[in-house]
Amino acid sequence: MRDATSFPSTTVPCPTCGGPSLFAPTNAARPFCSQRCKDIDLGAWAAESFRVPAQPPQDNQYGDPRIED
């Protein structure tokens, strides 16, 4: 098994701030540049800021059979 220093280090843009982020096992916040950016992203998920676009289902297809004609 390899240790953390044997992996090549790569710099990637931080998903939150766009700044450089070290993408290596030594960066505990990867792919983020810092714990702060990681926490901001977690807060956005908790606030449901990230959503998958989808059309709501039709009521007649999935509606309540007790109230249908």
Side-chain angles (χ1 to χ4, degrees):
M1 191 184 226
R2 295 198 245 179
D3 62 355
T5 59
S6 66
F7 288 97
S9 61
T10 304
T11 302
V12 297
C14 174
T16 302
C17 71
S21 174
L22 180 64
F23 193 79
T26 56
N27 179 6
R30 78 171 178 244
F32 303 96
C33 64
S34 65
Q35 186 64 40
R36 179 178 180 268
C37 282
K38 189 175 181 178
D39 290 342
I40 290 170
D41 185 74
L42 178 61
W45 279 104
E48 298 183 359
S49 296
F50 301 123
R51 296 174 186 231
V52 176
Q55 295 293 329
Q58 298 294 327
D59 286 339
N60 59 359
Q61 184 180 1
Y62 298 106
D64 189 350
R66 296 173 290 175
I67 58 173
E68 290 183 0
D69 299 324

